[in-house]
Amino acid sequence: MRPRHTRGRGTLTAAAATLVTFCAAQTLAAAPSAFAAPAPDPAAARAAHAHSATASAVTSAQDRAARAIARSLGDASWNTRLRTAALTSHEVPVTRRADGALKSQLAAADRQIAQAKGLDAKTGPLLQLRLGDPSMRAALAAGTAPWVAAAVSDDDATTVTAYDSRGRAHRLDARTTPAHPVYVVDVDSSKALAAGMDVLRKELVKDGVRSAAPVAVNTAHTAVTPKTAATAGYWTTKITAVELSDDEEPWIKGAAEIYTLVSGFGQDGKVRVDPVDMPYLDYDGTVYKPNQILVNWSNYKYNLADAVMMEEDGSTNYRDLAKAIATALLTITDQGTYVPLVNAILDAIPDDWWTDDPDYVDSWYTLAQSNQGTYYGARGNGWMTVEPYFVEQF
């Protein structure tokens, strides 16, 4: 995770209940079913069990890494090097900086995390270390011996366990930033998400769902209108500005890692899901201007598509997520008219994703190519400005 400023990665909890839409009538019709609890079924039970197992494996690996790092701080030279790195960098790739037995222990934890999240072995080290809060810098710089804690994924956690170099555990209040400096061991979610998007696309295709690689962020603006568009190219919907609202979160949380699943019927009449990584959308209360393409309309049969915004979480297994989504969507066939797919995607998400870890952030129904302007969330948790954008062919 990136360093936390005003919002931890789970501070979108309030937004998780928000239904943003570009068509008010469609929202009123679709919202109740979007939030209805999915009916129990064996597939959902298996997905929930897998999600719980992933969360347990990742948490266990992070905790072991935190204990190992804490014990390693008894080495004065390493302690000094790590302190310098933590004071001069927001994120420290701790596995790469370690050596000897500690490096081996952290490398083992990295492998367990990658495997638990369904990521390829080539993903590389995922563990990173950061200072729990900027207010701890002065004490750390003054030589106070830091404690080490594993980041928690539960937004409702009330306590955090930190370890010192003697292996002793210290119970800390999750809501009140401690004065004592604390190193937080976390998963590099930017790296995990990028790798996860690749796995998700590959697994969706393997399971029979069409999926395309994302278009890069910061697309250069070209003033092209429907009347002047060249024949060679395609229309898209571009996000020009977006902001999410503020909420209070545990100090140990890092920044959010957001992605969106855009879904609809492809040109062949079969369902498709196009993951869109949103690596810039870190903190609430900040207006981002990404100029990012959200929907590539050349991929879709109808002039309507849906989007489900999600948050990368330590307990996300991308292979399991892809399989659950594919299982739900492949039962839906093209009836010659647009059919919303948001509900099917939400129903595929295990029940526990709606509770402790708010992996689900928001939904957009009936996005259309002509949408242009600023659209607010139903509960005021955020807004985005979109516009049609024509991508010309060279």
Side-chain angles (χ1 to χ4, degrees), residues 14 16 24 31 58 60 66 79 82 87 95 114 149 155 159 170 209 221 226 243 298 317 329 350 356 380:
V58 172
S60 175
N79 192 344
L82 195 57
L87 289 172
T95 303
D155 294 327
T159 61
H170 302 266
V209 177
H221 179 74
E243 179 184 15
S298 68
N317 183 302
L329 294 186
D356 291 342

Side-chain angles (χ1 to χ4, degrees), residues 56 247 325:
S56 178
D247 196 3
I325 291 174

Side-chain angles (χ1 to χ4, degrees), residues 40-54 317 320-321 323-324 327 348-353:
D41 62 71
R46 288 193 297 271
H49 176 74
H51 183 258
S52 178
T54 299
N317 183 302
D320 291 340
L321 177 60
K323 187 170 293 295
T327 299
I349 298 173
D351 289 348
D352 62 340
W353 284 32

Side-chain angles (χ1 to χ4, degrees), residues 149-214:
V152 297
S153 61
D154 185 355
D155 294 327
D156 296 324
T158 57
T159 61
V160 173
T161 301
Y163 305 99
D164 61 28
S165 60
R166 295 183 180 180
R168 295 174 300 190
H170 302 266
R171 194 63 58 87
L172 306 175
D173 189 324
R175 297 287 169 173
T176 302
T177 304
H180 195 100
V182 178
Y183 290 152
V184 176
V185 178
D186 203 353
V187 172
D188 183 344
S189 289
S190 293
K191 186 175 182 180
L193 181 55
M197 291 296 94
D198 288 337
V199 170
L200 183 62
R201 281 188 293 272
K202 292 176 182 177
E203 291 298 315
L204 284 171
V205 171
K206 183 191 299 183
D207 290 333
V209 177
R210 305 298 194 272
S211 186

